[in-house]
Amino acid sequence: MKKNGAKALKTALGVALLSTVLVFSGCGGGVAERTDHLIVGIPAMHTNLDPTLQNDIPSTRVIFHVFDTLVWVDYNMEPQPNLAESWEWVDPANPTALRVFLRQGVLFHNGDPLTARDVQFSLDRASQSPHIATVASAISSTEIVNDHEVIIHLDYPFVPFINFLGHGGLSILNERAVTELGVAAHSHAPVGTGPYRLTNIVAGDRVELVRWENYWGTPAPIENLTFRLLADASTRLIALETGEIDIMIDVPPPDMSRVRGHSDLTLHHEENVATHYVAFNVQRPPFDDVRVRHAVQYALDLDAMVNAVFMGAFSPATGPISPRVWASASENLAPFPFNPERARELLAEAGFPDGFSITFMTNQGNPQRADTGEIMQNMLREVGIDMSVQILEWGAFLDASDRGEPDALMIAWVPTTGDPDNGLFATFHSSTWGPGGNRAFFSHPEVDSLLEAGRRESDPAVRAQIYYQAQRIIHAESPWIFMATGAEITGVRNNVQGFRPAPNSLPRFWTVSFS
């Protein structure tokens, strides 16, 4: 960038930041004082705003507003043009090279134009990241044809790849910004092409964004966007009722009727593609023995637990991927019946007639997970299992689960691309332990082979059969307790127009406006 351009941009950034601070500080007097500032109450802060260094929904929720992906996976989980205006397989009979035609006239937040070099840099960098290996590891290289055309070469025919280009981990970065700032600094001051650009992070409190006036698409109607951390759900709800926030992410099921009955609020409740589950660490005792895993399944009255925790807002799950994801085998997988006597028999067979002690871990900001831990604790005590419950801050919880510290943990997996590979490979292939998504540290040669075959098969009917078989084995091996299929439960103030829940938990706040 030329010196004068850089100086002008720096001035604009400073003015925008000052404006953001003034708007935020002025919002305490009530909704009437805040006419161009959308505040979203969130239960957890991001772990990293560098797209390739994260793979969690709280981070991606912010990243999707700062960065763009080549493809957008829409509300029907279908790929749509984004930074890529179009694409085509070089040889449709052998889909290992995808030609991508880039949108022209796109500017990064530092004023640099988007070029094929940025795409090459971003995809090559992503392919080396353990956090998103399951969506990027198939990339062997990226070939630049010209400034606005690239060919992405894959190691093998990878059918779901176009959908995977919509994954947040494959967001397009500005090569110069990452190189000049360095990885650590860029994580705190990311430079994207998205509808908003970051102006301020207050650790443990909020992330402040301002509209990118040179956005290539339709500009956001609302100038300022703040993600505000309110980990306690009750506090988050009060803030929504008083107008301190405009949108509340994750309304707890017990509070749904309270939102519905409030004259200033609207409740959005739609099934999403998530599966909520409890994972066992199957690499160490006692859960390295499938009899113990089955014993825990039999010891839990799953229907009663799900109804008590989710109060009908979510449905009990029977398998690892939601019925909203195609090739889900949920309808053909039977839940384990509640049978404490059978649980005791299996524990005795496995060498634990007097039970054992374990640690269960989950994150703050989600009371349903804490409630699940408490209910499990009481049910497992009846068969001799002593379970302690630990509730950690989101980032600390992810770090601990990545290292395999807890014996059991509760979390959710959201296959944001809408493909069964994204719901199964990341969570059950032996190459993805820890940060890759396999927090049960599960390993099964036949499951590995099936998931690898599913990636290479082009016939959807054959792919579906492959995934059905993989799910049957996973169900029998029980590395997870399949708790519940997910739902988006969002509270919105009535003066916010155009909000739409996203099945992959990534709503587009740049399309909403104030009435």
Side-chain angles (χ1 to χ4, degrees):
M1 179 188 295
K2 294 181 179 179
K3 184 178 293 185
N4 289 341
K7 183 178 179 180
L9 183 63
K10 184 176 180 181
T11 300
L13 285 170
V15 170
L17 176 55
L18 178 61
S19 173
T20 300
V21 172
L22 290 173
V23 171
F24 191 91
S25 62
C27 73
V31 179
E33 293 183 36
R34 179 161 45 78
T35 59
D36 205 9
H37 188 173
L38 182 72
I39 304 179
V40 180
I42 56 175
M45 285 286 274
H46 62 273
T47 58
N48 201 305
L49 293 183
D50 185 316
T52 64
L53 300 180
Q54 59 75 45
N55 195 7
D56 64 283
I57 291 297
S59 298
T60 307
R61 191 177 284 131
V62 180
I63 284 168
F64 261 38
H65 290 76
V66 176
F67 292 91
D68 287 308
T69 48
L70 292 173
V71 167
W72 173 52
V73 178
D74 67 14
Y75 293 98
N76 296 314
M77 307 308 287
E78 297 292 336
Q80 302 296 339
N82 209 36
L83 288 184
E85 284 191 315
S86 62
W87 53 83
E88 63 186 20
W89 292 107
V90 174
D91 179 2
N94 182 34
T96 57
L98 185 70
R99 188 184 303 273
V100 176
F101 301 93
L102 301 178
R103 191 178 301 276
Q104 299 189 34
V106 176
L107 294 178
F108 283 98
H109 300 158
N110 61 1
D112 288 355
L114 169 73
T115 71
R117 280 189 58 85
D118 298 297
V119 174
Q120 181 185 60
F121 171 79
S122 302
L123 298 186
D124 289 353
R125 186 171 184 260
S127 69
Q128 303 301 314
S129 170
H131 296 274
I132 54 168
T134 57
V135 297
S137 60
I139 299 172
S140 62
S141 64
T142 306
E143 174 189 349
I144 295 175
V145 178
N146 56 52
D147 277 354
H148 296 96
E149 185 179 337
V150 298
I151 298 176
I152 305 170
H153 295 278
L154 308 178
D155 286 325
Y156 49 85
F158 186 27
V159 172
F161 184 67
I162 292 174
N163 274 55
F164 277 29
L165 288 174
H167 189 279
L170 296 186
S171 298
I172 303 306
L173 293 75
N174 178 253
E175 180 182 18
R176 184 171 71 87
V178 177
T179 303
E180 292 182 358
L181 288 173
V183 172
H186 179 262
S187 297
H188 296 285
V191 176
T193 61
Y196 284 94
R197 52 185 176 80
L198 186 141
T199 58
N200 191 33
I201 299 174
V202 180
D205 185 74
R206 63 187 183 269
V207 178
E208 297 174 355
L209 311 176
V210 69
R211 178 173 59 212
W212 174 227
E213 300 294 351
N214 293 314
Y215 181 53
W216 58 267
T218 302
I222 299 175
E223 182 178 1
N224 300 286
L225 170 64
T226 294
F227 292 93
R228 183 176 173 194
L229 175 64
L230 296 166
D232 179 74
S234 297
T235 302
R236 207 157 65 248
L237 180 54
I238 292 170
L240 181 70
E241 290 173 327
T242 60
E244 191 175 345
I245 63 174
D246 306 295
I247 296 175
M248 174 183 175
I249 299 296
D250 292 349
V251 175
D255 293 326
M256 291 171 63
S257 59
R258 180 170 158 181
V259 175
R260 284 196 184 101
H262 197 293
S263 60
D264 294 330
L265 307 179
T266 297
L267 182 78
H268 295 266
H269 177 209
E270 294 185 14
E271 185 182 33
N272 63 19
V273 296
T275 299
H276 296 256
Y277 66 92
V278 174
F280 306 115
N281 187 329
V282 302
Q283 288 302 310
R284 64 167 185 256
F287 294 126
D288 57 342
D289 190 324
V290 69
R291 293 172 297 183
V292 175
R293 303 197 293 270
H294 284 175
V296 172
Q297 300 269 20
Y298 283 118
L300 300 176
D301 186 341
L302 188 63
D303 282 347
M305 188 161 64
V306 170
N307 287 332
V309 171
F310 297 110
M311 303 178 67
F314 293 7
S315 302
T318 56
I321 53 176
S322 163
R324 282 205 65 174
V325 179
W326 76 271
S328 169
S330 294
E331 292 184 0
N332 299 313
L333 298 174
F336 285 80
F338 179 48
N339 190 340
E341 185 57 38
R342 179 57 179 152
R344 295 186 190 95
E345 291 173 359
L346 286 170
L347 289 174
E349 289 177 17
F352 298 100
D354 300 319
F356 49 78
S357 297
I358 57 170
T359 298
F360 169 95
M361 191 179 292
T362 192
N363 62 286
Q364 296 173 351
N366 191 313
Q368 286 67 54
R369 293 176 186 172
D371 291 346
T372 298
E374 184 177 346
I375 295 171
M376 282 184 62
Q377 188 179 53
N378 293 328
M379 289 183 176
L380 293 181
R381 188 180 294 121
E382 296 300 313
V383 298
I385 298 174
D386 179 30
M387 189 179 86
S388 63
V389 177
Q390 296 181 8
I391 312 296
L392 278 65
E393 178 274 330
W394 175 248
F397 166 63
L398 285 185
D399 288 343
S401 65
D402 286 348
R403 294 192 297 268
E405 289 184 8
D407 300 302
L409 62 90
M410 185 172 183
I411 197 169
W413 186 260
V414 186
T416 57
T417 69
D419 191 88
D421 177 90
N422 191 210
L424 295 171
F425 198 102
T427 47
F428 298 107
H429 194 275
S430 61
S431 68
T432 62
W433 284 5
N438 185 346
R439 293 188 168 88
F441 295 83
F442 180 69
S443 179
H444 192 286
E446 188 175 357
V447 170
D448 280 358
S449 295
L450 287 165
L451 296 180
E452 290 161 11
R455 292 189 144 198
R456 291 167 168 80
E457 179 56 56
S458 58
D459 186 327
V462 177
R463 284 191 84 209
Q465 291 302 317
I466 290 170
Y467 291 126
Y468 293 154
Q469 178 60 16
Q471 290 169 82
R472 284 191 287 268
I473 297 171
I474 292 165
H475 182 273
E477 289 292 319
S478 295
W480 288 5
I481 298 168
F482 311 112
M483 278 285 296
T485 57
E488 294 295 297
I489 311 177
T490 310
V492 180
R493 293 194 62 82
N494 290 342
N495 66 325
V496 175
Q497 303 297 308
F499 172 79
R500 184 176 180 184
N504 60 4
S505 299
L506 300 172
R508 294 156 65 99
F509 295 123
W510 69 89
T511 65
V512 306
S513 60
F514 285 123
S515 60

